[in-house]
Amino acid sequence: VMAQCKEPTLACLPAGEASKNFASYEKLLRILLERGFTRGDCVVAVGGGVVGDLAGFAASTYLRGIDFYNMPTTLLSAVDASVGGKNGIDFLGVKNQVGVFRQPNLVLIDSETFATLPERQISSGMAEVIKMAATSDPALFALCERATREDLPAIIRAAVAVKRDVVEADEREGGLRRVLNFGHTVGHAIESLAGGG
């Protein structure tokens, strides 16, 4: 990605939910300011859901918004976080308490990126796919029942289509989009009680 940039700037953050905080957000804003980013520049997130949420939040608020591109590197972020336009951070132990709704300019999903993911990461992403399939797409559910890793491109396309359609109909979670939270509420409660993800 950096080779394609005229003047690239790299910012790295530790993996995991613990990085989704004001300190990481401030770090990104500081880098943008110190490197002189203007509205003609952009932020490209390359990573999982935490990286996408943080980078999207920084891009959405720096100079009241600069371009943002998302390149998810986990199956979970590809089918979930990269698509919905929710960007933000956790605050005082509450998940996603501070943030904005803003769709990325582009999401680039390369399923070959997932070839090196451990089985646990694939399972995590597939749990999200199965949840979407169970609530919205019987054909996707049937595909998941017999799927192998070779089916990932088709699974990703179908899951992203489900999420896209729901988000386009209800971007700010006024009603229909709640179907995407199937299972999330209990999961977030468990994460909070356990002290993070």
Side-chain angles (χ1 to χ4, degrees):
V1 174
M2 291 185 65
Q4 303 302 315
C5 299
K6 184 177 176 184
E7 296 178 38
T9 297
L10 178 65
C12 295
L13 298 168
E17 193 72 22
S19 289
K20 202 169 163 184
N21 57 40
F22 271 110
S24 298
Y25 171 59
E26 181 182 6
K27 176 183 177 178
L28 294 179
L29 291 178
R30 185 178 301 275
I31 290 168
L32 294 172
L33 182 63
E34 289 175 352
R35 290 301 305 257
F37 274 58
T38 69
R39 286 193 180 97
D41 296 310
C42 70
V43 171
V44 179
V46 180
V50 169
V51 169
D53 282 2
L54 269 165
F57 187 39
S60 298
T61 55
Y62 181 76
L63 295 177
R64 296 188 175 96
I66 63 175
D67 286 350
F68 168 58
Y69 300 87
N70 203 339
M71 298 177 67
T73 58
T74 66
L75 179 58
L76 179 58
S77 63
V79 299
D80 185 33
S82 70
V83 182
K86 290 181 179 178
N87 307 280
I89 57 175
D90 303 339
F91 182 57
L92 298 179
V94 181
K95 190 170 178 76
N96 300 321
Q97 192 63 22
V98 177
V100 297
F101 285 97
R102 179 184 173 220
Q103 301 301 328
N105 295 72
L106 178 77
V107 176
L108 177 62
I109 300 171
D110 181 356
S111 59
E112 290 183 23
T113 304
F114 312 136
T116 59
L117 290 177
E119 215 44 54
R120 179 181 166 115
Q121 285 287 330
I122 296 296
S123 296
S124 178
M126 285 303 296
E128 185 70 19
V129 171
I130 290 166
K131 178 202 75 173
M132 283 191 269
T135 61
S136 306
D137 188 341
L140 175 57
F141 194 86
L143 175 59
C144 290
E145 288 184 306
R146 57 176 164 63
T148 65
R149 277 201 185 218
E150 287 71 41
D151 295 307
L152 274 182
I155 288 169
I156 292 166
R157 275 191 299 276
V160 167
V162 167
K163 180 123 189 206
R164 179 204 62 220
D165 291 348
V166 170
V167 170
E168 284 179 351
D170 181 17
E171 184 177 22
R172 294 180 177 260
E173 230 170 24
L176 174 64
R177 188 165 176 166
R178 292 184 188 144
V179 73
L180 298 174
N181 292 334
F182 177 63
H184 278 212
T185 305
V186 171
H188 290 330
I190 292 168
E191 276 184 346
S192 293
L193 290 173

